[in-house]
């Protein structure tokens, strides 16, 4: 029984503190921060500028480290692990979405989406195939060979979501993902995130827009590096369960038809 409860906990932060500066310049981006997150939660984090939201997300995403405190990810204490172990875990378990999309300007849309798979050791063809599948999900298959600047903001953010989910991570972190989008593009992005959540993934998203909290199962307000209010709008029992067939792996790996060489149509599939 005990076991089962803890299996549902995906992230556990205890006494997490992030300190900048020393002496007179000392300040705390996070102060003695405790948070337990269950699999399948969609958490929205709100709070005034400078209250520590990005710091929190970066630490959860293993992009940054706390000055002290504990961080358990799937039961493994990751606070003190090596940078290379952090990078491996990050590649496997975590997808990021940023306010400014953070696409690489001189890579095609397809190459951008395939980027997180570099760490998997899979062949380039297989990586691009998965990226293509991910883009299809967001109806962006026509844009595969475009460069980021040729897409609208809303399209770029959907590319960024495709990149975030291409490796099937269980956790999606989004730092103000709709901050640079108009309301129509925001809605499209939120609908995609909501669909990803309903497949049983855990999402932690920072936003300034209270209207978006309708998508959340839990809303946390932060103040001065700590939790001010923490409200669950969906009970734990009603959180979505992980679906066994996942987003990108849905398509079987391509079985190269070895002998069948067609002259006219090259095997390069769009
Ligand atoms: P938010 O995302 O809520 O706006 P941040 O997490 O970016 O807040 O920042 C929290 C606090 O930590 C702020 O006061 C900010 O000035 C400070 N801070 C963030 N990064 C650094 C840094 N590299 N050096 C010094 N202070 C920092
Ligand atoms: Mg921020």
């Amino acid at each position: 029984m005990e076991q089962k409860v803890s299996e549902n906990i995906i992230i556990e932060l205890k006494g997490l503190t992030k300190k900048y500066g020393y002496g007179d310049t000392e300040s705390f981006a996070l102060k003695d921060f405790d948070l337990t997150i269950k699999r399948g939660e969609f958490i929205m984090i709100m709070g005034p500028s400078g209250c520590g939201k990005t710091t929190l997300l970066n630490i959860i995403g293993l992009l940054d480290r706390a000055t002290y405190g504990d961080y358990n990810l799937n039961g493994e204490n990751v606070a003190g692990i090596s940078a290379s172990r952090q990078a491996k875990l990050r590649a496997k378990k975590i997808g990021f979405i940023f306010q400014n999309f953070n696409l690489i300007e001189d890579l095609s849309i397809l190459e951008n989406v395939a980027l997180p798979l570099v760490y998997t050791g899979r062949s380039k063809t297989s990586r691009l195939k998965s990226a293509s599948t991910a883009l299809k999900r967001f109806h962006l298959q026509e844009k595969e060979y475009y460069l980021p600047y040729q897409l609208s903001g809303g399209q770029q953010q959907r590319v960024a979501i495709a990149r975030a989910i291409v490796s099937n991570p269980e956790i999606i972190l989004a730092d103000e993902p709709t901050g640079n989008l108009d309301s129509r593009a925001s809605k499209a992005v939120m609908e995609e995130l909501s669909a990803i959540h309903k497949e049983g993934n855990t999402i932690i998203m920072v936003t300034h827009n209270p209207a978006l909290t309708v998508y959340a199962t839990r809303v946390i307000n932060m103040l001065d590096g700590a939790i001010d209010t923490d409200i669950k709008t969906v009970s734990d029992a009603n959180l979505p369960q992980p679906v066994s067939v996942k987003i990108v792996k849905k398509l079987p790996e391509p079985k190269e038809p070895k002998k069948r060489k067609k002259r006219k149509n090259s095997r390069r599939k769009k």
Side-chain angles (χ1 to χ4, degrees):
M1 281 274 259
E2 195 78 52
Q3 190 82 2
K4 217 159 190 184
V5 171
S6 66
E7 270 171 15
N8 285 331
I9 292 173
I10 190 159
I11 288 168
E12 202 171 17
L13 311 175
K14 273 195 192 146
L16 213 66
T17 296
K18 179 72 174 182
K19 188 172 81 119
Y20 287 113
Y22 293 94
D24 288 349
T25 65
E26 188 178 84
S27 68
F28 292 89
L30 291 176
K31 212 167 185 178
D32 214 7
F33 197 95
D34 295 338
L35 180 62
T36 300
I37 299 175
K38 296 229 169 72
R39 216 173 288 278
E41 287 197 276
F42 190 159
I43 300 183
M44 288 211 189
I45 298 184
M46 305 186 69
S49 187
C51 71
K53 304 180 298 293
T54 294
T55 305
L56 176 68
L57 230 52
N58 287 347
I59 293 173
I60 290 176
L62 301 170
L63 289 172
D64 194 2
R65 284 171 193 273
T67 314
Y68 35 84
D70 283 331
Y71 174 9
N72 280 291
L73 177 59
N74 280 327
E76 177 183 354
N77 189 344
V78 295
I81 59 174
S82 71
S84 70
R85 172 90 184 121
Q86 270 193 331
K88 268 193 202 123
L89 274 177
R90 188 165 64 230
K92 205 168 135 199
K93 296 193 184 278
I94 297 165
F96 280 97
I97 303 161
F98 302 91
Q99 179 171 4
N100 297 319
F101 324 132
N102 285 13
L103 300 177
I104 295 181
E105 288 301 332
D106 54 4
L107 290 184
S108 71
I109 294 305
L110 188 64
E111 288 166 327
N112 263 285
V113 174
L115 218 49
L117 299 174
V118 165
Y119 302 97
T120 60
R122 290 166 48 186
S123 73
K124 185 161 186 194
T125 313
S126 151
R127 297 195 308 256
L128 292 177
K129 188 98 188 164
S130 287
S132 182
T133 307
L135 279 168
K136 272 193 198 99
R137 172 178 174 149
F138 301 103
H139 311 290
L140 289 162
Q141 63 271 32
E142 320 272 85
K143 308 287 184 191
E144 283 185 357
Y145 298 102
Y146 284 54
L147 290 170
Y149 80 91
Q150 296 174 297
L151 273 57
S152 71
Q155 287 172 332
Q156 288 191 50
Q157 194 61 303
R158 276 157 49 225
V159 170
I161 299 176
R163 180 184 58 183
I165 61 148
V166 74
S167 56
N168 273 331
E170 323 172 65
I171 302 168
I172 308 286
L173 303 177
D175 198 350
E176 302 191 44
T178 65
N180 285 352
L181 302 178
D182 62 34
S183 62
R184 203 170 132 257
S186 284
K187 181 152 199 296
V189 160
M190 289 315 302
E191 291 295 330
E192 299 296 3
L193 286 177
S194 185
I196 292 165
H197 168 240
K198 289 192 178 110
E199 286 158 10
N201 297 294
T202 307
I203 303 185
I204 308 164
M205 169 178 154
V206 170
T207 184
H208 283 296
N209 186 352
L212 301 185
T213 55
V214 294
Y215 295 96
T217 64
R218 182 175 180 186
V219 181
I220 293 177
N221 265 285
M222 285 179 63
L223 195 62
D224 297 335
I227 291 179
D228 187 29
T229 61
D230 180 353
I231 295 166
K232 286 189 182 181
T233 52
V234 172
S235 73
D236 290 345
N238 291 326
L239 294 175
Q241 297 296 308
V243 287
S244 53
V245 185
K246 286 269 233 148
I247 315 148
V248 173
K249 283 186 184 150
K250 216 183 285 183
L251 290 187
E253 280 293 301
K255 281 207 189 97
E256 298 279 333
K258 286 250 164 54
K259 296 280 171 230
R260 202 169 119 254
K261 260 191 203 158
K262 264 196 194 162
R263 282 278 162 83
K264 272 191 275 175
N265 292 329
S266 74
R267 339 181 250 120
R268 281 244 251 127
K269 255 175 83 190
K270 266 274 285 287

